[in-house]
Amino acid sequence: MTDGFIRKKVESLTLGEKLVKLRSQYRMSLAEIAKATRIQAKYLEALESGDYQSLPAEVYVRGFLRSYARYLGLEDEAFVKLYDKEKHIRTHLGKTEPVKERPKVVLGRVWVVTPRTLVWIGIGVVLLGTFGYLLRELNSFVAEPHLIVTSPVSGMTTSEGSLTLIGRTDAGARIMLNGQSVFVNGDGAFQELLTLQPGTNTFQVSATNRFEKTKTVTVVVENTTLPPVVDESPIPVTVGVNRRVEAVRLVADGVVVWNGAWEEGKEESLSVRETLTVTTSDPLATLIRVEDTVLQSVGLNSNVTETFEYTPLSLTALKNTNTNSPAE
């Protein structure tokens, strides 16, 4: 049964317990409060533990309480009155309240990002980026450039007359192929057409970076195509005139065969392996014939001294284009 009254539990805290509770709620340490209020930490500990015997004169204690309360933004007189009340009870009852162990306030570790923190983070990022850049530059300075030739593969055999050289190097590096410059794209890729000769073909590919460090790759390709058969037999040639020519000079393979005037109808038969040089003062009247073709003029002018050079290739062409053509 109830007696008509509602019983309510009233929380009664001592001054020290209230100070500890408030400081815990504000998540502050004794050191922080001591620094802010300029109250020695040992006096703050005495207030929180109820050890009034360790406190100085009451005038100072009341000043401590007012500073403490104002720092927390609370009414200072309430703290002073509670202190006077507890002091009065202890004095009249002659009891000394046992010193309670001050509860330990455990403050959680909170990471607070401040402008100063952001500045230090930014400085750290810049330093790391700078260090990475310097490390790359140092590596480029002491190391050879990268050079890869993907085609053709060194040691391969082919019957083709040409292949395409394909490779890659560092951006900004220069490529030389057998001493000749090769165009390199901005990303370091390059390619060049290779003309193959019958037999063994050797290609030296060199990459040079901006620090003048060079790397060379040798590519050897064997071409199985047989070289063309060259007919080195002498070519029969006849040189003559159809009227008197005052000056005619013939040089066959470096040997002077004739040098002087020619009468009408004169002819000279020669065997040419390398070169034939005909110098005449009347090209229109000076005639030439290759093997069994008809005679034709070496030039179109009269009374003008000119020199005409013939090789086996040009003599063969002259033979093929002038077979059975009428003489001038």
Side-chain angles (χ1 to χ4, degrees), residues 84-132:
D84 289 340
K85 179 180 178 181
E86 291 185 3
K87 188 74 172 178
H88 177 76
I89 292 174
R90 292 188 185 189
T91 301
H92 286 77
L93 295 180
K95 296 181 180 180
T96 302
E97 188 174 333
V99 177
K100 296 182 180 180
E101 182 179 356
R102 179 170 57 87
K104 295 182 179 180
V105 179
V106 180
L107 300 179
R109 191 168 185 177
V110 180
W111 175 260
V112 180
V113 178
T114 64
R116 185 175 183 181
T117 304
L118 294 176
V119 170
W120 281 110
I121 292 175
I123 293 174
V125 171
V126 172
L127 290 177
L128 286 175
T130 303
F131 177 76

Side-chain angles (χ1 to χ4, degrees), residues 151-168:
S151 178
V153 178
S154 184
M156 70 174 293
T157 300
T158 181
S159 60
E160 300 293 331
S162 63
L163 292 173
T164 300
L165 176 75
I166 301 174
R168 182 176 294 275

Side-chain angles (χ1 to χ4, degrees), residues 120-180:
W120 281 110
I121 292 175
I123 293 174
V125 171
V126 172
L127 290 177
L128 286 175
T130 303
F131 177 76
Y133 171 77
L134 293 176
L135 187 62
R136 289 193 301 271
E137 289 296 300
L138 178 61
N139 183 63
S140 299
F141 179 76
V142 299
E144 296 178 342
H146 294 89
L147 176 59
I148 300 175
V149 177
T150 57
S151 178
V153 178
S154 184
M156 70 174 293
T157 300
T158 181
S159 60
E160 300 293 331
S162 63
L163 292 173
T164 300
L165 176 75
I166 301 174
R168 182 176 294 275
T169 184
D170 295 335
R174 306 188 306 274
I175 292 293
M176 301 293 288
L177 172 61
N178 288 353
Q180 300 296 319

Side-chain angles (χ1 to χ4, degrees), residues 59-93:
V59 64
Y60 295 110
V61 176
R62 290 185 175 88
F64 293 163
L65 291 172
R66 289 189 175 93
S67 297
Y68 201 144
R70 290 169 186 168
Y71 177 68
L72 298 178
L74 303 174
E75 177 61 39
D76 55 353
E77 288 302 324
F79 284 83
V80 174
K81 288 180 180 180
L82 183 56
Y83 168 75
D84 289 340
K85 179 180 178 181
E86 291 185 3
K87 188 74 172 178
H88 177 76
I89 292 174
R90 292 188 185 189
T91 301
H92 286 77
L93 295 180

